[in-house]
Amino acid sequence: MHPWTRASDAERDHVIEALHQHTTAGRLSLDEFTDRLDAAHHATTHGELAAITTDLPAEAPARHGGTRRPLLAAAILTVALALLLAVLALAGWGHMHTMMAATTTTMAGRQ
């Protein structure tokens, strides 16, 4: 690509994702990340985007824990389901207790 060719939103997003990864890896401070993020959002050409990451390795490091997202989602879903079942069980128990009391009272009145 020529440096003066206009960049697309997807290309800007790719650079922004790389900046996130480099910051997570410790290559950029939060101040540097913020400055470069602003520059990426305002970049209009490939040359401007390239200048933002010129001092960083070409391939951003892979995020560790990427496989943990499904596990985290499953754990959150499991806890939410357990809480829902507990609430339903408690609500049902209260209703059952009321029914048992009414039945006992009715049966006691028949004797």
Side-chain angles (χ1 to χ4, degrees):
M1 296 270 170
H2 295 291
W4 57 87
T5 303
R6 293 189 66 88
S8 68
D9 288 341
E11 291 163 331
R12 277 186 285 279
D13 291 342
H14 179 74
V15 169
I16 290 168
E17 177 60 27
L19 292 172
H20 279 282
Q21 291 177 3
H22 286 297
T23 302
T24 302
R27 290 190 180 95
L28 297 173
S29 69
L30 290 179
D31 288 336
E32 290 172 313
F33 170 73
T34 303
D35 292 343
R36 292 177 191 223
L37 184 65
D38 187 49
H41 281 293
H42 290 96
T44 56
T45 66
H46 287 119
E48 291 170 343
L49 282 178
I52 295 168
T53 58
T54 194
D55 62 334
L56 298 170
E59 289 297 318
R63 283 191 177 178
H64 296 292
T67 59
R68 291 185 181 175
R69 284 188 185 187
L71 293 177
L72 179 61
I76 290 171
L77 182 61
T78 301
V79 169
L81 183 59
L83 288 173
L84 178 63
L85 290 175
V87 167
L88 291 175
L90 290 174
W93 178 258
H95 182 66
M96 182 179 277
H97 178 66
T98 304
M99 280 184 9
M100 292 301 287
T103 304
T104 305
T105 304
T106 304
M107 293 183 89
R110 289 184 183 174
Q111 293 178 352

